[in-house]
């Protein structure tokens, strides 16, 4: 569902209606900056962006004392006076959980701001502060202060009353400061425009009536001692966010924008916001050595350099701009400068002044804290982690059968075949083009007979056609978004032409929509058909910035501006609910638009990228940034959506694409066909090898997804997440970590014959050759088209399935190979998680297997119930980690032989030079020299314990004879 189709749509529609002159002209390719607003054309941003530091220093102050908020948990409230306003604002500070998460809210009691429902998790309830201390005036004359001690003894919050300032401290260090620069602004709601003032605002040919007048918010956040900030997707830019203003306050670029839009042919480097928004920013600060005996906060482990990761979440889906700037001080050595803090100015058009701070102090703690507010990743069905083959469009049933057969003919595994908008009857979703798809159920059943699934596209615009039952029923039920008058159905142009838009902000509409996916409602569908939601920003071809007018009206009289960034998530949620109801199993629905909380629903992709090396490179920071903001189940179109990749680009894209948590190939209608076997036999072999590696790593990947589901940890991680104390990786985006154990250094340059590899500290083993390296180490790694420098991290155990299969379903009962990568002491740890891959039984009946693998001193491998260490190795740290102990029952829903019967066929120990025998639970076994990987010609740089004949669900020990050591 791509904006490029706008071009084709226009050609067809112009003939029908001359009014289409108002449509954006998409026939000329390329990003059209003029179609989209900038700060200077957004009145609220223009008002708020360029105020000097201290602008509201004398304006806002706490009046009187903080008091407990009665009857609503442990929050405290106070009056926040605004100079010149007779009525003060209300400010509240509320703790959540026991790790020190706090929420700061400001509201106008006479006109409470709209708070978007359904974003925060349903059962979120406040905890209590451990203590609250009031001080009437400091000796340095800084006036009254109130200190809030959280249940985490390392975290407190200091509120200065005048000038108003809120600082979150970790072990006495300020890590996140609200209003340090006194740029806070809260625009009161007014009854009418002042004399000579107009509230309406125009852009291009569109006018926004703005009936409620200006109600903007602004606030500044400072991250002391931080050099880097990350997050606030979605945009094509670097992992570490660049400054949008310099130290003197001069604009360098546009501010970062969060406003979900269908951006045609987006650029590979721009601060401009794309299809989704997550208002989360992470900061990583070095807080000076020493303090508290050099221990890491809360862990007791000693280390020289202390770093703290923290994050803020702004719970507001209205249009938002963020400026980032960095303060520098001279470092004294040779006159250089070092960054002493990062500042962010947030400006929102309307909505709630509602900010959460996650104090960390580790990256994993931040993820756990943030996802406790908005939810963790929904456990996907196992097929969803396989390879997805898509294009706009597979033409007909014969085309589908040929593509499906092509994968088997070329021995390439895949799991899901996708159909784009051309499969429908005239872009009426949930219908079929009877000429091209006369027997859809038979087609889906045929694909499913080989263990695979299909996906069709369903978009939120509904063709206005009295003969289309969905349109008629929703119209009769009054289920559409309304014009500004609040009563007339809004009419916008999209693929079908004139369309109405379901008001999915309404729970009633969402419930009705979910029911439309029942097998007796969606003709031609089966339980093996899943769904893809596109264009749900929402895209409106003839709307301002290709979306809805902000003064449209939703259920309850709520303006579109108040819900815009959450609209697509509501549609995604309703669709996923429909699939979950239909199958009574885990749903799979892909979305393009998203907001905070989308991770609870399903995956997203990065939209309409292009087949060029710049877009290949930027896909890595785009996907890792999504992971850092809770939405780890994401990926970019492999090969690039627009344009025609050559064999080299296509191969390199598959070689990194296999590590995207969501792995799909997709292409535009006008591109050449590009199934994996169409680039010559050499490319076919290399692409096959890449896709097979994805499937080989499936047990590890599935375990990582369960960690994401349990604790919010990302599947694909930037290096700094795993190496927070190594300043050299804080901004690195040319290499990534798949979980804690695998480092990938993809080839991102055309014609490369070598890659500059830099490994962080520790022992590393080449995934392909088994060769060991000790980091930190930099060298030129020679590559052919078949090579991607990939390393297993010492200290970890990676579960694999080495038998090549056609799909995830075909691998379900395959035995495991356990790859042990010892650290310098000969120790390693890992975790394996298995369940039936489809049901909710892992939540209701503990129908799963979760096992700890522990290798010690080069000589013994144990399999046991989970431990805190195995949880950490599985990517999970702390509170929820070791609690889910025990193997679970391992029985799946049907009572069939289950995952509990999965055996271990091989144990591979990397870096072991000689080999004696092994003893498995008291019985002797062979140990032989073996290659580290299944790659052709790989040297025998490892040792293998063959056929240990143990089940992963049982407790067992494998002891190696002394000579198997180094």
């Amino acid at each position: 569902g791509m904006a490029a189709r706008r071009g084709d749509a226009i050609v067809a529609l112009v003939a029908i209606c001359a009014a289409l002159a108002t449509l954006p002209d998409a026939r000329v390719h390329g990003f059209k900056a003029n179609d989209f607003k900038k700060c200077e054309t957004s009145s609220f941003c223009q008002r708020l962006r360029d105020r000097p530091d201290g602008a509201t220093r004398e304006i806002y102050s706490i009046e009187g004392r903080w008091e407990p908020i009665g009857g609503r948990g442990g929050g405290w409230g106070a009056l926040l006076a605004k100079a010149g306003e007779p009525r003060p604002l209300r400010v509240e500070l509320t703790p959540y959980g026991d790790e020190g998460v706090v929420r700061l809210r400001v509201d106008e009691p006479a006109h409470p701001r709209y708070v978007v429902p359904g974003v925060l998790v349903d059962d979120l309830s406040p905890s209590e502060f451990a203590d609250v201390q009031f001080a009437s005036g400091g000796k340095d004359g800084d006036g009254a202060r109130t200190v809030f001690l959280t249940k985490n003894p390392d975290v407190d919050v200091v509120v200065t009353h005048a000038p108003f300032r809120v600082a979150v401290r970790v072990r006495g260090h300020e890590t996140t400061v609200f209003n340090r620069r006194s740029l806070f602004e809260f625009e009161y709601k007014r009854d009418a425009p002042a004399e000579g003032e107009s509230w309406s605002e125009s852009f291009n040919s569109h006018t926004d009536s703005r009936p409620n007048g200006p109600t903007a918010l602004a606030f500044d956040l400072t991250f002391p001692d931080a050099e880097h900030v990350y997050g606030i997707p979605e945009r094509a830019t670097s992992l570490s966010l660049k400054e949008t203003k310099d130290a003197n306050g001069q604009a360098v670029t546009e501010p970062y924008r969060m406003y979900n839009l269908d951006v045609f042919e987006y650029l590979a480097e721009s601060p401009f916001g794309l299809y989704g928004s997550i208002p989360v920013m992470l900061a990583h600060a070095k807080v000076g050595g020493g303090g508290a005996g050099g221990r890491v906060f809360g862990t007791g482990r000693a280390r020289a350099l202390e770093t703290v990761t923290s994050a803020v979440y702004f719970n507001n889906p209205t249009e938002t701009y963020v400026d980032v700037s960095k303060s520098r001080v001279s470092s004294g050595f040779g006159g250089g400068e070092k960054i002493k803090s990062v500042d962010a100015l947030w400006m929102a058009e309307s909505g709630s002044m509602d900010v959460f701070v996650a104090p960390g102090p580790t990256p994993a703690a931040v993820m756990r804290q943030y996802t406790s507010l908005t939810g963790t990743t929904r456990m996907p069905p196992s097929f969803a982690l396989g390879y997805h083959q898509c294009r706009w469009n597979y033409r007909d049933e014969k085309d589908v059968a040929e593509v499906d057969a092509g994968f088997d003919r070329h021995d390439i595994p895949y799991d899901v075949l996708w159909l784009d908008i051309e499969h429908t009857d005239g872009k009426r979703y949930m219908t079929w083009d009877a000429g091209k798809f006369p027997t859809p159920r038979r087609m889906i059943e045929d694909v499913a007979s080989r263990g695979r699934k299909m996906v069709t596209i369903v978009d939120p615009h509904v063709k206005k056609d009295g003969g289309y039952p969905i349109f008629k029923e929703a119209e009769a039920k009054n289920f559409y978004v309304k014009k500004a008058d609040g009563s007339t159905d809004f009419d916008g142009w999209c693929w079908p032409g004139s369309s109405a838009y379901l008001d999915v902000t309404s729970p009633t509409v969402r419930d009705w929509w979910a029911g439309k996916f029942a097998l007796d409602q969606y003709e031609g569908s089966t339980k093996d058909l899943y769904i893809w939601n596109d264009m749900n920003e929402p895209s409106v071809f003839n709307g301002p910035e290709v979306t809805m007018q902000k003064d449209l009206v939703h259920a309850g009289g709520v303006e579109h501006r108040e819900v815009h960034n959450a609209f697509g998530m509501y549609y995604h949620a309703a669709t996923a609910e429909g699939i979950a109801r239909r199958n009574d199993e885990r749903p799979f629905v892909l979305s393009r638009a998203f907001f905070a909380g989308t991770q609870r629903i399903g995956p997203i992709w990065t939209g309409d990228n292009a087949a060029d090396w710049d877009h290949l490179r930027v896909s890595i920071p785009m996907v890792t940034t999504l992971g850092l903001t809770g939405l780890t189940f994401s990926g970019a179109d492999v090969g690039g959506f627009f344009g025609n990749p050559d064999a080299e680009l296509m191969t390199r894209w598959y070689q990194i694409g296999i590590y995207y948590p969501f792995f799909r190939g997709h292409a535009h209608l006008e591109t050449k066909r590009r199934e994996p076997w169409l680039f010559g036999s050499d490319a076919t072999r290399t692409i096959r090898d890449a896709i097979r590696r994805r499937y080989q790593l499936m047990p590890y990947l599935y375990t990582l997804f369960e960690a994401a589901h349990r604790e919010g940890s990302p599947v694909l991680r930037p290096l700094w997440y795993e190496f927070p104390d190594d300043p050299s990786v804080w901004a690195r985006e040319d290499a990534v970590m798949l979980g804690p154990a695998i480092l990938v250094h993809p080839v991102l340059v055309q014609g490369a014959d070598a890659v500059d590899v830099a490994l962080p500290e520790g022992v590393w083993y080449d995934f392909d050759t088994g060769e060991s390296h000790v980091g930190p180490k930099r060298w030129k790694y020679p590559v052919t088209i078949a090579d991607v420098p990939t390393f297993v991290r010492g200290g970890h155990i990676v579960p694999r399935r080495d038998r090549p299969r056609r799909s995830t379903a075909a691998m379900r009962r395959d035995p495991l190979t356990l790859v042990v990568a010892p650290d310098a002491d000969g120790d390693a740890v890992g975790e394996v998680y298995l369940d039936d891959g489809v049901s909710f039984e892992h939540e209701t009946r503990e129908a799963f297997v979760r096992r700890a693998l522990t290798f010690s001193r080069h000589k013994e491998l144990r399999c046991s119930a989970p431990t805190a260490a195995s949880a950490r190795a599985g990517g999970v740290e702390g509170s929820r980690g070791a609690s889910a102990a025990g193997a679970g029952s391992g029985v799946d829903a049907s009572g069939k032989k289950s995952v509990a019967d999965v055996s271990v066929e091989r144990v591979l120990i990397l870096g072991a030079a000689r080999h004696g025998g092994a003893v498995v639970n008291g019985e002797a076994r062979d140990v032989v020299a073996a290659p580290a990987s299944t790659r052709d010609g790989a040297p025998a740089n490892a040792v293998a314990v063959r056929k240990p004949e143990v089940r992963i669900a049982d407790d067992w020990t494998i002891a190696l004879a002394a000579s198997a050591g180094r």
Side-chain angles (χ1 to χ4, degrees):
M2 319 311 152
R5 301 178 184 149
R6 213 170 304 149
D8 311 300
I10 290 168
V11 176
L13 297 174
V14 163
I16 306 166
C17 176
L20 291 188
T22 59
L23 271 178
D25 179 4
R27 282 162 294 194
V28 184
H29 280 244
F31 173 70
K32 302 210 140 26
N34 302 341
D35 285 351
F36 299 106
K37 284 188 163 187
K38 295 187 167 70
C39 184
E40 63 189 31
T41 43
S42 300
S43 61
F44 76 94
C45 184
Q46 194 185 18
R47 279 198 304 284
L48 295 167
R49 185 182 193 193
D50 292 323
R51 298 168 300 145
D53 280 10
T56 62
R57 187 183 168 85
E58 308 298 323
I59 309 238
Y60 293 95
S61 56
I62 302 275
E63 251 181 29
R65 285 202 173 205
W66 289 80
E67 303 288 346
I69 302 166
R72 282 199 287 142
W76 287 61
L79 298 177
L80 182 65
K82 180 175 184 180
E85 290 285 352
R87 297 184 311 261
L89 298 165
R90 168 109 184 137
V91 57
E92 294 181 356
L93 191 70
T94 310
Y96 288 85
D98 53 13
E99 293 191 48
V101 172
V102 290
R103 179 183 197 176
L104 178 71
R105 297 180 69 180
V106 178
D107 211 344
E108 183 185 359
H111 301 285
R113 292 298 182 95
Y114 181 76
V115 179
V116 66
V119 173
L120 299 171
V121 294
D122 289 342
D123 55 357
L124 186 66
S125 54
S127 57
E128 291 179 340
F129 287 114
D131 195 13
V132 179
Q133 300 164 354
F134 175 73
S136 58
K139 45 186 179 298
D140 46 359
D142 61 355
R145 303 185 336 155
T146 304
V147 180
F148 296 84
L149 280 64
T150 72
K151 284 185 169 178
N152 179 346
D154 286 345
V155 179
D156 64 9
V157 184
V158 180
V159 180
T160 308
H161 291 206
F164 176 48
R165 177 184 193 270
V166 182
V168 175
R169 301 191 304 186
V170 178
R171 284 267 172 105
H173 288 288
E174 291 189 348
T175 57
T176 309
V177 186
F178 178 94
N179 208 35
R180 189 183 74 95
R181 297 160 63 204
S182 294
L183 291 171
F184 174 71
E185 184 61 277
F186 188 108
E187 294 184 340
Y188 278 60
K189 187 170 183 320
R190 293 187 278 145
D191 297 330
E195 206 169 319
E197 178 192 23
S198 165
W199 278 354
S200 74
E201 183 172 355
S202 294
F203 177 69
N204 290 351
S205 58
H206 299 278
T207 299
D208 172 9
S209 62
R210 287 207 308 171
N212 296 311
T215 52
L217 308 167
F219 58 94
D220 63 273
L221 290 167
T222 300
F223 302 102
D225 302 308
E227 291 181 37
H228 298 278
V229 290
Y230 313 89
I232 57 170
E234 183 183 35
R235 62 203 76 255
T237 191
S238 52
L239 173 69
S240 170
L241 293 168
K242 300 179 182 71
E243 292 174 84
T244 59
K245 281 192 159 185
D246 66 20
N248 303 318
Q250 294 301 304
V252 180
T253 63
E254 278 292 296
Y256 295 110
R257 188 185 191 200
M258 281 178 280
Y259 192 63
N260 297 1
L261 292 173
D262 179 355
V263 182
F264 178 70
E265 292 200 340
Y266 65 82
L267 305 172
E269 171 54 60
S270 170
F272 193 79
L274 299 177
Y275 311 92
S277 303
I278 304 178
V280 170
M281 181 176 279
L282 296 89
H284 190 58
K286 172 182 168 180
V287 296
R295 292 204 317 281
V296 186
F297 299 140
T299 68
R301 291 199 304 276
R303 62 180 183 190
L305 170 69
E306 281 195 351
T307 57
V308 176
T309 309
S310 54
V312 291
Y313 164 53
F314 180 41
N315 184 38
N316 181 322
T318 72
E319 182 184 0
T320 303
Y321 285 94
V322 182
D323 263 322
V324 171
S325 54
K326 298 183 178 186
S327 321
R328 290 170 172 78
V329 286
S330 109
S331 61
F333 300 108
E337 284 192 318
K338 71 175 193 340
I339 294 164
K340 72 165 198 262
S341 66
V342 182
D343 293 296
L345 172 64
W346 296 62
M347 300 162 280
E349 185 186 23
S350 188
S352 58
M353 178 60 238
D354 189 3
V355 175
F356 291 84
V357 178
T362 62
V366 164
M367 297 311 303
R368 183 173 62 242
Q369 291 153 10
Y370 168 66
T371 56
S372 74
L373 306 172
T374 63
T376 61
T377 297
R378 175 178 230 144
M379 194 66 199
S382 52
F383 75 79
L385 305 191
Y387 175 58
H388 299 258
Q389 182 65 47
C390 186
R391 80 172 275 114
W392 173 29
N393 211 90
Y394 289 119
R395 289 183 298 268
D396 49 31
E397 292 182 10
K398 179 169 173 284
D399 199 5
V400 165
E402 285 173 359
V403 171
D404 178 63
F407 279 90
D408 288 337
R409 195 167 63 250
H410 295 95
D411 280 326
I412 297 172
Y414 96 105
D415 265 79
V416 192
L417 193 60
W418 293 50
L419 297 177
D420 209 322
I421 55 174
E422 309 303 325
H423 80 276
T424 59
D425 173 13
K427 317 298 185 286
R428 296 167 185 83
Y429 302 104
M430 299 161 131
T431 68
W432 301 86
D433 180 323
K436 296 171 181 170
F437 296 93
T439 55
R441 184 179 302 243
R442 184 210 55 77
M443 168 186 72
I444 299 163
E445 284 170 353
D446 178 58
V447 170
S449 71
R450 285 174 291 284
R452 296 177 178 135
K453 311 292 181 188
M454 288 193 72
V455 164
T456 51
I457 195 167
V458 178
D459 291 352
H461 47 265
V462 180
K463 184 179 174 71
K464 294 185 80 165
D465 168 11
Y468 178 28
I470 284 185
F471 171 75
K472 283 297 286 181
E473 191 184 340
E475 185 181 48
K477 290 181 182 288
N478 207 22
F479 278 175
Y480 292 121
V481 176
K482 306 293 181 205
K483 290 183 176 168
D485 63 16
S487 57
T488 319
D489 286 348
F490 168 68
D491 179 329
W493 284 93
C494 213
W495 298 132
S498 189
S499 304
Y501 287 73
L502 291 171
D503 183 8
V504 286
T505 66
S506 156
T508 311
V509 175
R510 292 200 298 271
D511 183 63
W512 170 82
W513 181 238
K516 291 294 161 201
F517 293 90
L519 296 177
D520 61 354
Q521 295 279 312
Y522 185 169
E523 234 170 281
S525 68
T526 82
K527 283 190 168 188
D528 292 303
L529 181 68
Y530 292 83
I531 302 298
W532 165 23
N533 292 157
D534 194 7
M535 316 297 282
N536 52 334
E537 293 75 26
S539 180
V540 181
F541 291 162
N542 60 338
E545 302 193 90
V546 203
T547 194
M548 283 182 178
Q549 284 87 335
K550 287 174 171 172
D551 56 6
L552 298 186
V553 177
H554 294 278
V558 176
E559 275 193 293
H560 182 68
R561 86 183 71 248
E562 298 289 343
V563 298
H564 176 85
N565 286 344
F567 179 91
M569 179 167 82
Y570 287 136
Y571 186 69
H572 190 195
T575 306
E577 169 62 22
I579 299 300
R581 253 187 232 177
R582 180 196 76 185
N583 285 25
D584 194 26
E585 284 177 351
R586 301 175 207 170
F588 171 80
V589 178
L590 178 74
S591 173
R592 189 171 71 181
F594 56 86
F595 189 62
T598 287
Q599 65 272 13
R600 303 197 299 265
I601 304 165
I604 66 103
W605 90 106
T606 62
D608 301 345
N609 60 352
D612 63 50
W613 292 86
D614 287 334
H615 274 92
L616 169 64
R617 282 185 284 270
V618 82
S619 72
I620 299 172
M622 287 182 81
V623 171
T624 51
T625 294
L626 287 160
L628 290 174
T629 51
L631 188 45
T632 193
F633 198 5
S634 71
D637 284 345
V638 170
F641 177 69
F642 291 110
N644 295 302
D646 62 9
E648 182 188 10
L649 179 59
M650 200 71 195
T651 302
R652 293 304 189 199
W653 214 314
Y654 274 105
Q655 288 169 337
I656 182 61
I658 62 171
Y659 301 108
Y660 297 155
F662 174 63
F663 175 36
R664 180 183 77 151
H666 185 39
H668 184 277
L669 187 69
E670 292 160 15
T671 60
K672 294 178 190 148
R673 291 294 284 253
R674 56 160 96 147
E675 286 69 48
W677 52 87
L678 294 179
F679 295 86
S681 58
D682 288 355
T684 301
R685 187 168 57 249
T686 314
I687 292 170
R688 177 195 302 120
D689 288 346
I691 297 176
R692 278 188 177 173
R693 176 162 295 178
R694 165 77 169 208
Y695 282 78
Q696 178 184 44
L697 288 171
M698 204 57 77
Y700 177 60
L701 199 59
Y702 199 67
T703 299
L704 290 174
F705 263 92
E706 198 273 337
H709 172 62
R710 201 160 23 123
E711 286 270 286
S713 50
V715 172
L716 194 69
R717 307 172 178 179
L719 263 58
W720 74 263
Y721 187 97
E722 286 297 320
F723 300 94
D725 298 340
D726 179 353
S728 74
V729 303
W730 289 348
R732 269 189 63 197
E733 58 188 38
D734 60 338
V736 278
M737 297 293 299
L738 183 68
I742 294 176
L743 184 150
V744 186
H745 227 304
V747 183
L748 302 171
V749 180
Q750 189 170 9
D753 55 14
V755 174
D756 272 320
V757 168
L759 293 176
E761 67 177 345
V763 179
W764 298 88
Y765 301 89
D766 190 304
F767 191 102
D768 290 297
T769 67
E771 191 182 339
S772 66
H773 302 271
V774 178
K777 178 178 178 180
R778 288 193 74 124
W779 79 104
K780 272 205 175 337
Y781 186 114
V783 293
T784 67
I785 190 66
D787 300 306
V788 179
T790 307
F791 303 89
V792 184
R793 183 179 177 187
H796 291 266
I797 298 171
V798 176
R800 295 193 322 214
R801 276 187 163 135
D802 285 359
R803 300 179 182 184
R805 299 290 193 191
R806 62 160 42 139
S807 67
T808 53
M811 310 170 72
R812 223 188 121 224
R813 299 178 191 286
D814 279 356
L816 298 170
T817 291
L818 303 178
V819 181
V820 178
D823 64 14
D825 297 324
D827 297 337
V829 66
E831 197 159 81
V832 181
Y833 174 87
L834 297 167
D835 63 22
D836 66 17
V838 289
S839 75
F840 296 115
E841 299 264 312
H842 63 292
E843 291 172 357
T844 54
R845 293 179 44 207
E846 291 216 331
F848 61 83
V849 171
R850 190 201 317 285
R851 306 295 285 160
L853 300 165
T854 313
F855 185 71
S856 42
R857 301 294 176 229
H858 295 292
K859 52 179 186 267
E860 184 180 83
L861 177 66
R862 289 184 56 218
C863 179
S864 64
T867 62
S870 75
R872 255 199 313 279
V876 168
E877 172 200 272
S879 64
R880 295 173 230 168
S883 61
S889 69
V891 178
D892 53 28
S894 59
K896 288 198 299 276
K897 277 180 45 171
S898 74
V899 290
D901 292 315
V902 168
S903 66
V904 176
E905 70 176 341
R906 224 159 55 112
V907 173
L908 203 55
I909 299 157
L910 304 179
R914 301 185 309 288
H915 46 89
V919 178
V920 180
N921 285 353
E923 292 183 28
R925 288 285 184 281
D926 280 348
V927 176
V928 297
S933 70
T934 47
R935 187 164 164 177
D936 287 347
N941 273 343
V943 301
V945 180
R946 286 199 303 199
K947 299 217 166 79
E949 290 171 13
V950 287
R951 296 191 327 159
I952 196 69
D954 297 333
D955 288 355
W956 44 261
T957 302
I958 297 178
L960 295 169
S963 61
R966 305 212 146 179

